[in-house]
Amino acid sequence: MTQAAIISFLETVHPYDTLSKDDLAQVAGVFVRREFAAGEEIYHTGEALAGLFLVKRGSVEVLEPSGGLVSLLGPRNSFGERGLMRGGLAVTTTRATETTVTLMLPTAEFHRLIANSPAFARFFSRGRGAEARGPDLTTQKVADLMARKPVTLDPDSSIRTAAAKMRDHHVSSLGIVEDDVFLGIVTTRDMTNKVMAIGLDPSSPVGGIMTRDPVTLRPDDLGSDILHIMLERRIGHLPVVEGTRLVGMVTQTDLTRFQAVSSASLVRDAAMAETVGEMAGVTARIPALLAQLVGSKNPHEVVTRLITDIADTVTRRLLKLAEAELGPPPVPYLWLACGSQGRQEQTGVSDQDNCIMLDDAVTPDDMPYFAALAKFVSDGLDTVGYFYCPGDMMASNPQWCQPVRVWREYFRKWVAQPDPKAQMLASVMFDQRPIGGAVRLFHDLEGETLEMAARNSIFVAHMIANSLTHSPPLGLLRGFATIRSGEYKNHIDLKHSGVVPVADLGRVYALIGKLTAVNTRARLVAAEEAGVISTSGARDLIEAYDKIAEIRLENQARLIRSGRKPDNFMAPSDLSDFERSHLRDAFVVVRTMQSAIGQSRGARS
């Protein structure tokens, strides 16, 4: 690969995309290209590492010393950093699963970047290794391990009724409760040993076969308590109580499910799926993963990055399945994600925003192929849970499946004539991120568009005005402005009134500073480093964003653990006084930063 080709590739990979042009050129000049055959080992546990590896093409599996799969990596994924940060010896074994090309950054250059680039240091030291090693069950709170609300019955109900309820709810145990007081537990084993084995009349009261006053746990106990009790007493069900009230049930199945769910396993299963149905089975596990990651106290940017990685893998797999069905593409193309997937900020609730850029050599006769490919992938994404965009901002819309020359004209018109529709479209498209295909189609266009947009002060002013359309939900007298009617009355929208105002600000800062970062938090950090906003303003806004995004994810995890679908609406009353105060303070910071940039817009105009 030429140095120019390496630079072009690195500009699409975080955190290399945060480096200055000089640093990027230096880094590109020392990368070593290495190619591995399918099944070939790249390095082994305990081996001295020559540097940090970056996947250019192909796939790499990362294995524990015991041989267990840790993760499956694809293009733009790095590996080897844990060993480099821990004395230079590999802590895992890596192997190519297909013909794979890697770029290796020598150890000395890796440590130079860690020392001199805050973005580089943050990326390779925060949160990446812990999740890949798998969840630590022993340190989890019991409240985070409960899969659902407990199924209960009163003691006077018949055994037959109890059996039917267990069947209908697909559970292996019931809590026996009277007047909201927990009395005991009945399990499928009780049904076998105390009813079937002795021929007990099924119309007898279920209270007669329950285990009275069983050992229980509290929500703030640890996973280690569950393991110790289950092993010591040889039981498979543990009620969770607060005072005399039953609030949950933890079973051996819950523990198995917890240990089986990780982003690495979901990425692996999505990459190997042969049908859309198999992919739907993978994405159905995302809510459990989200609840687990939040319960493990991962930073919000780590959680959303890992959740988005699954969407990226599903999209790339659908592209491969589409090509297998339709044949090879007549000209090169690039599938890009926009919106939250583009920013790597997906949560448990996501629709799809995407588009296709085609090589300018495309002809009218080629377009039916790409229409079919776009429909295949968009339909597949909808089937597996990434629902159709309400505004039809999808590659299946012919408007968003066009040659590069048409895209260049789109951006030129939006910048030259920034009416409300143009502002909306530009806001979506400035969050583009390549997912699969010929990345080179995007490189020149990205730089040209950013430069052109930043130079046009009228367009920037309109984009600033557009960023102020979403306001934090601040009410009078230190309260919140909640939704006044409908299903979510007395709730606040943590998406449109919470994280979106910050995402809008981040996009504007990136535009003003000609910053290529797409992720909101990365944009805020880059804006501080580039002097687009003051150090104090940036740090306040980053802390505010962290608090809002954290509470949004915690609310989704709480809904998931209660057996409900996650959404973005939260009642302030669900928070403690302390949490409400800090959330309101975060909203005040966002409002203040909006006012500051609004005054800047007024001065320009």
Side-chain angles (χ1 to χ4, degrees), residues 123-397:
F123 184 79
F124 287 110
S125 62
R126 288 194 63 187
R128 291 173 54 82
E131 200 281 333
R133 289 193 299 273
D136 187 350
L137 175 64
T138 60
T139 59
Q140 292 293 298
K141 292 288 185 68
V142 167
D144 295 326
L145 295 170
M146 298 186 302
R148 58 192 299 173
K149 286 185 176 179
V151 181
T152 62
L153 199 63
D154 66 86
D156 295 329
S157 297
S158 70
I159 293 172
R160 180 180 288 107
T161 299
K165 193 162 191 177
M166 293 167 74
R167 177 201 62 199
D168 294 344
H169 287 80
H170 306 288
V171 295
S172 56
S173 63
L174 291 176
I176 307 302
V177 174
E178 186 172 35
D179 297 330
D180 209 29
V181 175
F182 175 60
L183 301 178
I185 183 176
V186 170
T187 68
T188 51
R189 180 181 294 182
D190 293 324
M191 292 290 183
T192 301
N193 295 342
K194 299 179 182 179
V195 181
M196 298 298 295
I198 64 175
L200 185 64
D201 184 357
S203 63
S204 302
V206 71
I209 64 166
M210 72 177 179
T211 300
R212 191 176 293 274
D213 298 326
V215 61
T216 62
L217 292 166
R218 296 168 300 180
D220 57 354
D221 286 335
L222 299 179
S224 58
D225 298 318
I226 301 172
L227 292 172
H228 295 162
I229 293 172
M230 285 186 172
L231 290 171
E232 180 182 346
R233 301 186 180 232
R234 298 183 181 181
I235 56 178
H237 302 80
L238 277 170
V240 183
V241 299
E242 286 184 330
T244 61
R245 187 169 63 91
L246 180 68
V247 296
M249 190 79 71
V250 177
T251 70
Q252 288 179 337
T253 301
D254 295 328
L255 304 188
T256 302
R257 183 185 300 114
F258 177 87
Q259 292 177 308
V261 176
S262 72
S263 67
S265 65
L266 267 64
V267 165
R268 176 197 63 206
D269 293 347
M272 297 174 65
E274 294 295 335
T275 66
V276 173
E278 289 180 13
M279 280 184 230
V282 175
T283 55
R285 291 149 56 193
I286 289 177
L289 172 65
L290 184 144
Q292 179 175 295
L293 292 171
V294 173
S296 300
K297 306 304 179 187
N298 286 283
H300 69 88
E301 69 271 22
V302 171
V303 177
T304 55
R305 166 63 187 272
L306 295 174
I307 297 294
T308 306
D309 284 349
I310 299 165
D312 292 354
T313 304
V314 167
T315 304
R316 284 191 285 269
R317 186 60 182 149
L318 285 168
L319 288 169
K320 286 188 177 181
L321 293 178
E323 290 184 17
E325 180 173 304
L326 300 171
V331 299
Y333 74 92
L334 176 63
W335 184 283
L336 300 102
C338 312
S340 61
Q341 185 183 359
R343 296 191 305 272
Q344 296 181 302
E345 293 168 9
Q346 287 192 317
T347 66
V349 191
S350 296
D351 60 4
Q352 56 174 295
D353 295 282
N354 45 60
C355 61
I356 293 179
M357 291 183 180
L358 305 172
D359 190 284
D360 281 338
V362 68
T363 68
D365 290 340
D366 298 329
M367 295 307 291
Y369 175 94
F370 292 107
L373 180 138
K375 185 177 188 307
F376 184 101
V377 177
S378 289
D379 287 352
L381 289 171
D382 179 74
T383 299
V384 305
Y386 302 104
F387 304 117
Y388 296 126
C389 172
D392 205 17
M393 300 286 291
M394 298 181 295
S396 54
N397 180 342

Side-chain angles (χ1 to χ4, degrees), residues 405-484:
R405 64 178 180 273
V406 175
W407 280 102
R408 184 172 281 110
E409 183 63 17
Y410 282 164
F411 281 107
R412 189 195 68 76
K413 287 183 177 179
W414 294 338
V415 172
Q417 302 172 350
D419 57 31
K421 183 178 180 181
Q423 295 167 38
M424 182 272 291
L425 294 173
S427 294
V428 174
M429 296 304 174
F430 273 125
D431 292 349
Q432 287 176 325
R433 182 171 59 87
I435 300 297
V439 178
R440 64 174 177 77
L441 297 176
F442 183 60
H443 287 165
D444 291 342
L445 182 61
E446 180 188 29
E448 289 173 17
T449 301
L450 200 55
E451 181 70 31
M452 174 178 59
R455 285 200 313 264
N456 190 318
S457 60
I458 296 176
F459 176 76
V460 172
H462 278 278
M463 288 297 289
I464 291 173
N466 187 63
S467 74
L468 306 181
T469 57
H470 295 101
S471 299
L474 292 169
L476 299 175
L477 302 176
R478 294 196 59 78
F480 295 98
T482 59
I483 298 169
R484 295 185 177 181

